[in-house]
Amino acid sequence: MMLFFFLACASGPDYGDFTSLVEQEQERLAQTPCSKEHLLELAKAMAKGGRPQDAITPIQSFEASCPASDEVIQMKISVASQAKNWPVALAAADAVLQKDPSQREAYRMRAEVRKGSGDKAGAAHDLQQAYLLDTPSSNSANHLKELAQMQEEAE
């Protein structure tokens, strides 16, 4: 689910005029401050408009005043990763795993964060954890390939 949001921001539909869309979503969020849907749309618009770092602040404000949800934390990981704000992305991924250490996709996302920040050994460890949590229907072969590649890079 986290990876889906990240990829959707990177390759989703064309939003056209990002400035007006951002302003529109900011207005909607101001009217309904705990609307997860408006926050998601605002973050997507900022990311698609090339401003993922700007999406971190409204996410943090939302977290401070509204009930946190996995979707919001996953969004925070995605936009922080896009902005290459590795400490924020890592802290958010850690929070997901602290809450529920059985989330395979959280390990995969944290591996991407760690890889981006240069922690290849940590990334390889997280991919290994994701592989161990794999179900027969998930993409085990890709995890093994990524794990082998990460372990080679870490050495």
Side-chain angles (χ1 to χ4, degrees):
M1 188 184 305
M2 289 181 284
L3 188 58
F4 173 75
F5 179 81
F6 183 73
L7 293 176
C9 286
S11 62
D14 182 15
Y15 286 109
D17 182 9
F18 296 108
T19 304
S20 64
L21 183 61
V22 166
E23 290 171 359
Q24 180 182 18
E25 291 305 330
Q26 286 173 325
E27 212 172 280
R28 287 180 178 164
L29 191 58
Q31 293 171 0
T32 52
C34 286
S35 169
K36 181 177 63 178
E37 291 75 22
H38 293 310
L39 180 65
L40 287 168
E41 289 304 315
L42 175 60
K44 285 179 189 177
M46 288 176 161
K48 293 281 293 171
R51 299 173 26 209
Q53 68 283 359
D54 293 347
I56 295 170
T57 302
I59 293 169
Q60 289 173 329
S61 297
F62 184 93
E63 288 177 317
S65 58
C66 304
S69 72
D70 288 345
E71 256 184 307
V72 172
I73 296 170
Q74 292 165 357
M75 176 180 27
K76 187 176 184 178
I77 296 167
S78 295
V79 296
S81 293
Q82 284 183 307
K84 296 185 181 0
N85 188 334
W86 306 122
V88 169
L90 185 60
D94 287 344
V96 171
L97 289 168
Q98 192 170 43
K99 184 178 172 185
D100 182 5
S102 68
Q103 287 202 24
R104 175 181 47 87
E105 192 58 30
Y107 279 107
R108 286 226 355 91
M109 197 64 190
R110 189 170 73 175
E112 290 297 321
V113 170
R114 285 181 165 178
K115 180 181 177 185
S117 70
D119 180 7
K120 292 179 180 165
H125 177 264
D126 282 346
L127 282 176
Q128 184 177 24
Q129 290 301 114
Y131 174 74
L132 293 173
L133 292 169
D134 263 344
T135 60
S137 63
S138 66
N139 202 349
S140 300
N142 278 345
H143 285 178
L144 281 175
K145 183 178 176 183
E146 288 180 59
L147 178 58
Q149 185 178 16
M150 286 288 211
Q151 287 174 331
E152 282 178 18
E153 291 175 5
E155 293 173 353

